[in-house]
Amino acid sequence: MRRTLYTADHEAFRELARNFIDKEVVPHYPDWERAGRMPREIFERMGELGLLGTAIPEEYGGGGVRDYRFNAVLQEEAYRALVTLSTVRTQIDVILPYFLEYANEEQRRRWFPGLADGTLLTAVAMTEPGTGSDLAGIRTTAVRDGEDYVINGAKTFITGGLLADLVIVVARTDTDPDNRRAGLSLIVVESGRPGFTKGRILDKLGCKVQDTVELSFEDVRVPQSNRLGEEGKAFGYLGHNLAQERITVAVGSVAQARSAIAATSEYVKERKAFGQPVASYQNTKFELAAMSSEVEAAQTMIDRAVLDLVEGELSGADAARTKLFCTEVQARVVDRCLQLFGGYGYMLEYPIARLYADARVARIYAGTSEVMKTIVAKDLGLR
């Protein structure tokens, strides 16, 4: 179906992203999967090409255009090539907005040039062992001591944490027994500070190129000048970017589902069963036709949501609806595509197996499907 979301500038950016991914990502992707991470050099190369810093002001080396559609294009092109750039997506879609919104001028001068050119990699440390996504239950503490904070605690499931130079740590700077949401702050911790330890790379079901680690903080001293925004206001800050984070997951889900259909359509034309191509069977045609229709519906929904996001009109409830619908469509489509591959679909040498494994987390991170349903239900007045 015809899409009207993108302009000529976005399509020019798409061509740049496509050339980069085809030439500099796809040939090396299997090696990165085995290593469990992307190399630092690839971020620097993306920075050179202007793929990372479109939203960063020009005076710091960025593109000066805060338009989420460029981020969406980058995701679409990665999934078109049957690869995922999850760590990149986390850096520019989830973490960079915190710097853009809450960094003061001194922090901008200190960090923005490296964020734009790919020499400074980032992570955000929210989730803790035993608390999951319950931000109000965070136990990591940051206690004032002179001009510093002293941080103690542990974080887990931290995307990009292994390579990160800067980690935004969500820590409790004050305790209010009557309001668990109060007293949280965002503090940027540089890699290499004494007491800051990066643990093992967690062995995940999918998203193998995305390094995910545990972090620990033992009396880590960080200057108060590393705090983003006001002390004690982090809970509100974290909620501010949730709509974009959820739309980011939905964009990837639809792009991945579309790629699964394309890969499956090609496979069933070549694969034969009982002497004829699998594509010739009515069930194959009906399955792919139904899946294509679902994906087009999801694409229309996500395009509308992206435009609302760009225009500052996307509500939290609509972001939840979009993530819920698009990730559930992705799950159904990738599962049905794998079925059409038969036994070969279960073999990792076929991309559908990787797509299947990668897809499962989409209904979990950035808020589970159950959380999305709760948000939508509240929007319907169901308390």
Side-chain angles (χ1 to χ4, degrees):
M1 296 177 68
R2 186 173 67 91
R3 300 176 69 190
T4 59
L5 180 63
Y6 298 118
T7 68
D9 288 341
H10 300 116
E11 295 303 336
F13 184 82
R14 184 186 301 279
E15 184 176 357
L16 176 66
R18 178 172 295 189
N19 289 335
F20 165 75
I21 290 168
D22 287 347
K23 295 178 182 178
E24 303 189 43
V25 175
V26 172
H28 308 290
Y29 197 78
D31 293 334
W32 301 350
E33 282 191 304
R34 286 188 287 271
R37 69 185 76 101
M38 294 171 59
R40 291 190 66 95
E41 302 78 56
I42 207 68
F43 291 91
E44 295 175 14
R45 179 60 179 147
M46 294 180 75
E48 290 174 8
L49 294 173
L51 294 172
L52 296 180
T54 56
I56 295 174
E58 290 181 285
E59 59 264 38
Y60 306 108
V65 182
R66 199 160 179 186
D67 183 343
Y68 174 77
R69 287 174 289 185
F70 289 103
N71 302 27
V73 165
L74 187 58
Q75 271 211 84
E76 289 178 354
E77 287 307 305
Y79 280 120
R80 175 201 59 80
L82 298 172
V83 299
T84 178
L85 300 176
S86 300
T87 308
V88 175
R89 178 182 68 184
T90 302
Q91 173 144 330
I92 65 176
D93 292 343
V94 178
I95 302 169
L96 182 58
Y98 292 115
F99 286 100
L100 292 171
E101 289 290 338
Y102 306 115
N104 59 36
E105 183 55 38
E106 184 276 328
Q107 292 169 334
R108 288 178 169 229
R109 290 195 302 268
R110 187 164 26 133
W111 294 325
F112 278 21
L115 296 176
D117 66 19
T119 57
L120 276 183
L121 305 186
T122 61
V124 60
M126 300 186 210
T127 305
E128 297 184 356
T131 64
S133 58
D134 178 16
L135 296 178
I138 282 177
R139 297 177 181 176
T140 296
T141 59
V143 179
R144 284 177 177 262
D145 184 21
E147 296 299 313
D148 295 340
Y149 286 110
V150 179
I151 302 176
N152 284 279
K155 302 288 184 178
T156 192
F157 305 148
I158 308 305
T159 298
L162 182 70
L163 297 180
D165 304 292
L166 305 175
V167 179
I168 301 177
V169 178
V170 184
R172 191 166 293 283
T173 49
D174 191 19
T175 302
D176 182 349
D178 297 322
N179 185 359
R180 294 195 310 146
R181 296 184 176 187
L184 297 176
S185 301
L186 302 182
I187 302 171
V188 178
V189 179
E190 297 96 342
S191 180
R193 284 192 174 273
F196 175 25
T197 305
K198 299 179 179 181
R200 62 191 176 92
I201 297 179
L202 300 174
D203 191 14
K204 305 183 299 298
L205 171 67
C207 301
K208 295 294 188 179
V209 170
Q210 171 184 302
D211 63 286
T212 306
V213 300
E214 299 168 323
L215 304 177
S216 65
F217 305 87
E218 185 174 353
D219 293 331
V220 180
R221 300 188 73 91
V222 180
Q224 292 181 36
S225 59
N226 276 23
R227 188 186 67 240
L228 284 178
E230 296 182 49
E231 186 174 272
K233 298 296 181 67
F235 196 92
Y237 296 163
L238 294 169
H240 179 78
N241 193 49
L242 271 178
Q244 177 168 309
E245 186 174 348
R246 286 166 179 164
I247 291 304
T248 292
V249 176
V251 166
S253 294
V254 175
Q256 187 183 58
R258 187 178 294 280
S259 292
I261 291 173
T264 305
S265 296
E266 289 303 312
Y267 176 81
V268 297
K269 292 174 186 176
E270 299 174 0
R271 181 69 179 173
K272 289 187 177 182
F274 305 104
Q276 57 184 322
V278 174
S280 68
Y281 290 98
Q282 186 182 68
N283 179 69
T284 303
K285 297 174 184 177
F286 281 9
E287 282 288 277
L288 286 167
M291 287 187 277
S292 176
S293 299
E294 274 201 274
V295 168
E296 291 302 332
Q299 188 73 72
T300 300
M301 188 178 194
I302 188 60
D303 283 1
R304 179 69 255 175
V306 168
L307 191 58
D308 284 349
L309 176 66
V310 171
E311 295 175 351
E313 297 179 354
L314 182 67
S315 69
D318 283 345
R321 287 184 178 94
T322 305
K323 179 183 185 291
L324 174 64
F325 183 75
C326 292
T327 55
E328 294 292 339
V329 166
Q330 174 194 24
R332 290 193 296 271
V333 166
V334 175
D335 182 77
R336 289 158 76 183
C337 283
L338 189 149
Q339 188 73 16
L340 291 174
F341 272 78
Y344 288 100
Y346 206 63
M347 301 296 110
L348 286 174
E349 65 183 278
Y350 286 84
I352 192 65
R354 184 172 69 238
L355 289 173
Y356 184 84
D358 288 352
R360 188 59 187 87
V361 75
R363 288 175 284 160
I364 297 174
Y365 61 12
T368 65
S369 291
E370 292 73 24
V371 170
M372 299 303 100
K373 291 174 184 176
T374 300
I375 294 170
V376 173
K378 288 181 179 178
D379 190 56
L380 295 174
L382 305 174
R383 303 286 176 173

